[in-house]
Amino acid sequence: MAHTRLMRELQRQGVSRREFLTFCASMATVLGLPEGSAAAIAKAVENEKRPILVWLEFQDCAGNTESFLRASHPTVADLVLDTISLNYHETLMAAAGAQAEGVLDETVKQNKGNYIALVEGSIPGDADSGYCCIGGRSALDIAREVCGNAAATIAVGTCATFGGIPAARPNPTRALSVADAVPGVRNLINMSACPANAENITALIVYYLTLKQWPPLDRYRRPLFAYGKSIHDGCERRAHFDAGQYVESWGDEAHRHGHCLYKMGCKGPATSQNCPNVGWNEHTNWPIGCGHPCIGCAEPNFWDVMTPFYQKLPDVAGVNTDRWLDTVGVGLTGAVAAGVVVHGIGEVMRRGRGRLVVEEKPAAGKGTGEQAGAKK
Ligand code: SF4
Ligand code: SF4
């Protein structure tokens, strides 16, 4: 069998075909695709024309870039050089200054409607404010031009998805999510979390390469394969929650035995992401697995409404906690309360013109991307 350029490059880097197929199988698992999909993924990743990507960074800490750089299967170099064509990324590209901005300008002009924009960080809402300018242009102008001409936009991380820490009260820069900064942007997909998990970003691109469409989304425009289930539902400590076995203080016997962290402030019942299954750091572990509560980093306004991080949620939707727990006034907002039930109601997938689409409940608030129409 003739080797493709990708396979030659993987071999050059010491990655065997078996390891490549293992990667494809792991992607199929993350995506929840049926057994046997790994072969289709392998074929698509090997043979499909590379999509052009531009990665914009605005008001951020570069944590999502760091997360992406840690993607182990395939290595980021494999992705950048072979599977995708990352034309512009301030942190990764060798070019700088006017040369770098020229690459972005050229990419947008020559590939109008045919490239994918990834955005990391929030965007100051006032173009004349002087906050976050690159090459003399405001982040708002750049986002509107680049995302406005893209085939799809992927908001990477909670800042781009919901405004993030820069949007925390009192929000001095009037930080906006991509959805709010570029209303009506085409095919917006939100990959919330702080940072977004590189496995999920990779899986999203693999899904697109394989199926030539974007995956079904939840009401916050997040892929269901990654955000379709709560942390609580997938948690390895769930049996302890159900049995009323809680950690009461750090290092106590229950903590040492891996009991539930609900009383220590775990926001897993109000948070949706696939951390229990996908894990972090090459599947080494994940926060709850190593004894720390989930802080709800994938949910809107988590920095305001999930705090204090070490105070427990007042109640858990659908679960009678009265037997064990006294109520405390954490003061969850409607947005978070909606997040608890978001995957249980309102999402009806149907097939139309060969594409999966999602019928969503009416928008509950700004900053979620709910208002951005993005059906392909
Ligand atoms: S409250 Fe947290 S630690 Fe306990 S079962 Fe739910 S997600 Fe797991
Ligand atoms: S466990 Fe919770 S806080 Fe940790 S990464 Fe997952 S969603 Fe974010």
Side-chain angles (χ1 to χ4, degrees), residues 231-232 235 237-238 241 259-262 266-269 288:
I231 297 280
H232 190 57
C235 182
R237 299 183 188 225
R238 177 60 186 267
F241 176 92
H259 291 180
C260 174
L261 296 159
Y262 182 84
C266 185
K267 307 302 186 295
I288 289 173

PDB file of all heavy atoms in Angstrom, residues 231-232 235 237-238 241 259-262 266-269 288, ligand 1:
ATOM      1  N   ILE A 231     -20.627  16.140  34.328  1.00  0.00           N
ATOM      2  CA  ILE A 231     -19.486  15.550  35.041  1.00  0.00           C
ATOM      3  C   ILE A 231     -20.019  14.550  36.076  1.00  0.00           C
ATOM      4  O   ILE A 231     -19.499  13.439  36.223  1.00  0.00           O
ATOM      5  CB  ILE A 231     -18.691  16.665  35.764  1.00  0.00           C
ATOM      6  CG1 ILE A 231     -18.091  17.662  34.748  1.00  0.00           C
ATOM      7  CG2 ILE A 231     -17.640  16.083  36.702  1.00  0.00           C
ATOM      8  CD1 ILE A 231     -16.849  17.237  34.067  1.00  0.00           C
ATOM      9  N   HIS A 232     -21.070  14.951  36.754  1.00  0.00           N
ATOM     10  CA  HIS A 232     -21.675  14.145  37.820  1.00  0.00           C
ATOM     11  C   HIS A 232     -22.114  12.778  37.293  1.00  0.00           C
ATOM     12  O   HIS A 232     -21.918  11.750  37.946  1.00  0.00           O
ATOM     13  CB  HIS A 232     -22.879  14.934  38.338  1.00  0.00           C
ATOM     14  CG  HIS A 232     -23.510  14.417  39.586  1.00  0.00           C
ATOM     15  ND1 HIS A 232     -22.826  14.241  40.765  1.00  0.00           N
ATOM     16  CD2 HIS A 232     -24.807  14.067  39.846  1.00  0.00           C
ATOM     17  CE1 HIS A 232     -23.656  13.808  41.696  1.00  0.00           C
ATOM     18  NE2 HIS A 232     -24.860  13.684  41.165  1.00  0.00           N
ATOM     19  N   CYS A 235     -19.052  10.594  36.618  1.00  0.00           N
ATOM     20  CA  CYS A 235     -18.004  10.608  37.661  1.00  0.00           C
ATOM     21  C   CYS A 235     -17.792   9.245  38.317  1.00  0.00           C
ATOM     22  O   CYS A 235     -18.740   8.550  38.680  1.00  0.00           O
ATOM     23  CB  CYS A 235     -18.372  11.636  38.730  1.00  0.00           C
ATOM     24  SG  CYS A 235     -17.121  11.776  40.030  1.00  0.00           S
ATOM     25  N   ARG A 237     -16.848   8.815  41.220  1.00  0.00           N
ATOM     26  CA  ARG A 237     -17.238   8.880  42.636  1.00  0.00           C
ATOM     27  C   ARG A 237     -18.756   8.914  42.814  1.00  0.00           C
ATOM     28  O   ARG A 237     -19.251   9.113  43.920  1.00  0.00           O
ATOM     29  CB  ARG A 237     -16.604  10.115  43.298  1.00  0.00           C
ATOM     30  CG  ARG A 237     -15.084  10.087  43.251  1.00  0.00           C
ATOM     31  CD  ARG A 237     -14.454  11.283  43.964  1.00  0.00           C
ATOM     32  NE  ARG A 237     -13.017  11.275  43.721  1.00  0.00           N
ATOM     33  CZ  ARG A 237     -12.095  11.485  44.651  1.00  0.00           C
ATOM     34  NH1 ARG A 237     -12.451  11.748  45.888  1.00  0.00           N
ATOM     35  NH2 ARG A 237     -10.810  11.460  44.347  1.00  0.00           N
ATOM     36  N   ARG A 238     -19.487   8.768  41.709  1.00  0.00           N
ATOM     37  CA  ARG A 238     -20.938   8.922  41.760  1.00  0.00           C
ATOM     38  C   ARG A 238     -21.596   7.934  42.734  1.00  0.00           C
ATOM     39  O   ARG A 238     -22.556   8.273  43.436  1.00  0.00           O
ATOM     40  CB  ARG A 238     -21.509   8.761  40.346  1.00  0.00           C
ATOM     41  CG  ARG A 238     -23.023   8.829  40.264  1.00  0.00           C
ATOM     42  CD  ARG A 238     -23.558  10.176  40.783  1.00  0.00           C
ATOM     43  NE  ARG A 238     -25.003  10.160  40.817  1.00  0.00           N
ATOM     44  CZ  ARG A 238     -25.793  10.590  39.833  1.00  0.00           C
ATOM     45  NH1 ARG A 238     -25.242  11.122  38.747  1.00  0.00           N
ATOM     46  NH2 ARG A 238     -27.085  10.521  39.924  1.00  0.00           N
ATOM     47  N   PHE A 241     -21.634   9.412  46.011  1.00  0.00           N
ATOM     48  CA  PHE A 241     -22.657  10.456  46.146  1.00  0.00           C
ATOM     49  C   PHE A 241     -23.999   9.806  46.451  1.00  0.00           C
ATOM     50  O   PHE A 241     -24.705  10.205  47.372  1.00  0.00           O
ATOM     51  CB  PHE A 241     -22.738  11.279  44.860  1.00  0.00           C
ATOM     52  CG  PHE A 241     -23.836  12.318  44.862  1.00  0.00           C
ATOM     53  CD1 PHE A 241     -23.589  13.613  45.295  1.00  0.00           C
ATOM     54  CD2 PHE A 241     -25.124  12.003  44.445  1.00  0.00           C
ATOM     55  CE1 PHE A 241     -24.597  14.572  45.308  1.00  0.00           C
ATOM     56  CE2 PHE A 241     -26.135  12.946  44.462  1.00  0.00           C
ATOM     57  CZ  PHE A 241     -25.870  14.235  44.899  1.00  0.00           C
ATOM     58  N   HIS A 259     -14.056   9.163  48.256  1.00  0.00           N
ATOM     59  CA  HIS A 259     -15.496   9.422  48.322  1.00  0.00           C
ATOM     60  C   HIS A 259     -15.849  10.735  47.620  1.00  0.00           C
ATOM     61  O   HIS A 259     -14.976  11.462  47.152  1.00  0.00           O
ATOM     62  CB  HIS A 259     -15.957   9.417  49.782  1.00  0.00           C
ATOM     63  CG  HIS A 259     -15.903   8.048  50.406  1.00  0.00           C
ATOM     64  ND1 HIS A 259     -16.261   7.796  51.711  1.00  0.00           N
ATOM     65  CD2 HIS A 259     -15.524   6.833  49.888  1.00  0.00           C
ATOM     66  CE1 HIS A 259     -16.120   6.509  51.993  1.00  0.00           C
ATOM     67  NE2 HIS A 259     -15.663   5.906  50.891  1.00  0.00           N
ATOM     68  N   CYS A 260     -17.139  11.032  47.593  1.00  0.00           N
ATOM     69  CA  CYS A 260     -17.659  12.168  46.817  1.00  0.00           C
ATOM     70  C   CYS A 260     -17.216  13.523  47.380  1.00  0.00           C
ATOM     71  O   CYS A 260     -17.178  13.728  48.593  1.00  0.00           O
ATOM     72  CB  CYS A 260     -19.183  12.076  46.796  1.00  0.00           C
ATOM     73  SG  CYS A 260     -19.952  13.485  46.030  1.00  0.00           S
ATOM     74  N   LEU A 261     -16.929  14.464  46.458  1.00  0.00           N
ATOM     75  CA  LEU A 261     -16.412  15.781  46.835  1.00  0.00           C
ATOM     76  C   LEU A 261     -17.482  16.865  46.870  1.00  0.00           C
ATOM     77  O   LEU A 261     -17.170  18.052  46.919  1.00  0.00           O
ATOM     78  CB  LEU A 261     -15.293  16.171  45.850  1.00  0.00           C
ATOM     79  CG  LEU A 261     -14.067  15.257  45.903  1.00  0.00           C
ATOM     80  CD1 LEU A 261     -13.260  15.355  44.611  1.00  0.00           C
ATOM     81  CD2 LEU A 261     -13.200  15.591  47.098  1.00  0.00           C
ATOM     82  N   TYR A 262     -18.736  16.441  46.824  1.00  0.00           N
ATOM     83  CA  TYR A 262     -19.847  17.400  46.779  1.00  0.00           C
ATOM     84  C   TYR A 262     -19.778  18.420  47.914  1.00  0.00           C
ATOM     85  O   TYR A 262     -19.910  19.627  47.694  1.00  0.00           O
ATOM     86  CB  TYR A 262     -21.174  16.636  46.839  1.00  0.00           C
ATOM     87  CG  TYR A 262     -22.391  17.518  46.760  1.00  0.00           C
ATOM     88  CD1 TYR A 262     -22.900  17.941  45.537  1.00  0.00           C
ATOM     89  CD2 TYR A 262     -23.038  17.936  47.914  1.00  0.00           C
ATOM     90  CE1 TYR A 262     -24.015  18.760  45.473  1.00  0.00           C
ATOM     91  CE2 TYR A 262     -24.157  18.752  47.852  1.00  0.00           C
ATOM     92  CZ  TYR A 262     -24.640  19.159  46.636  1.00  0.00           C
ATOM     93  OH  TYR A 262     -25.731  19.965  46.572  1.00  0.00           O
ATOM     94  N   CYS A 266     -17.747  20.582  45.012  1.00  0.00           N
ATOM     95  CA  CYS A 266     -17.734  20.074  43.634  1.00  0.00           C
ATOM     96  C   CYS A 266     -18.935  20.604  42.835  1.00  0.00           C
ATOM     97  O   CYS A 266     -20.078  20.511  43.260  1.00  0.00           O
ATOM     98  CB  CYS A 266     -17.757  18.549  43.637  1.00  0.00           C
ATOM     99  SG  CYS A 266     -17.607  17.890  41.969  1.00  0.00           S
ATOM    100  N   LYS A 267     -18.628  21.160  41.644  1.00  0.00           N
ATOM    101  CA  LYS A 267     -19.680  21.696  40.767  1.00  0.00           C
ATOM    102  C   LYS A 267     -20.016  20.721  39.631  1.00  0.00           C
ATOM    103  O   LYS A 267     -20.664  21.092  38.658  1.00  0.00           O
ATOM    104  CB  LYS A 267     -19.241  23.052  40.175  1.00  0.00           C
ATOM    105  CG  LYS A 267     -18.794  24.087  41.220  1.00  0.00           C
ATOM    106  CD  LYS A 267     -19.874  24.389  42.248  1.00  0.00           C
ATOM    107  CE  LYS A 267     -19.523  25.522  43.207  1.00  0.00           C
ATOM    108  NZ  LYS A 267     -18.395  25.271  44.097  1.00  0.00           N
ATOM    109  N   GLY A 268     -19.548  19.476  39.780  1.00  0.00           N
ATOM    110  CA  GLY A 268     -19.821  18.462  38.761  1.00  0.00           C
ATOM    111  C   GLY A 268     -21.290  18.289  38.418  1.00  0.00           C
ATOM    112  O   GLY A 268     -21.636  18.094  37.254  1.00  0.00           O
ATOM    113  N   PRO A 269     -22.212  18.397  39.402  1.00  0.00           N
ATOM    114  CA  PRO A 269     -23.627  18.230  39.064  1.00  0.00           C
ATOM    115  C   PRO A 269     -24.162  19.349  38.168  1.00  0.00           C
ATOM    116  O   PRO A 269     -25.199  19.196  37.531  1.00  0.00           O
ATOM    117  CB  PRO A 269     -24.313  18.254  40.436  1.00  0.00           C
ATOM    118  CG  PRO A 269     -23.265  17.794  41.397  1.00  0.00           C
ATOM    119  CD  PRO A 269     -21.989  18.378  40.859  1.00  0.00           C
ATOM    120  N   ILE A 288     -11.135  15.508  39.511  1.00  0.00           N
ATOM    121  CA  ILE A 288     -11.810  14.735  40.567  1.00  0.00           C
ATOM    122  C   ILE A 288     -11.070  13.424  40.829  1.00  0.00           C
ATOM    123  O   ILE A 288     -10.993  12.953  41.966  1.00  0.00           O
ATOM    124  CB  ILE A 288     -13.286  14.497  40.178  1.00  0.00           C
ATOM    125  CG1 ILE A 288     -14.054  15.824  40.287  1.00  0.00           C
ATOM    126  CG2 ILE A 288     -13.927  13.420  41.051  1.00  0.00           C
ATOM    127  CD1 ILE A 288     -15.482  15.778  39.778  1.00  0.00           C
TER     128      ILE A 288
HETATM  129  S1  SF4 B   1     -20.557  15.721  43.315  1.00  0.00           S
HETATM  130 FE1  SF4 B   1     -18.601  15.784  42.185  1.00  0.00          FE
HETATM  131  S2  SF4 B   1     -17.290  14.210  43.119  1.00  0.00           S
HETATM  132 FE2  SF4 B   1     -19.419  13.811  43.750  1.00  0.00          FE
HETATM  133  S3  SF4 B   1     -20.169  12.338  42.252  1.00  0.00           S
HETATM  134 FE3  SF4 B   1     -20.795  14.369  41.540  1.00  0.00          FE
HETATM  135  S4  SF4 B   1     -19.143  15.006  40.156  1.00  0.00           S
HETATM  136 FE4  SF4 B   1     -18.335  13.284  41.361  1.00  0.00          FE
END
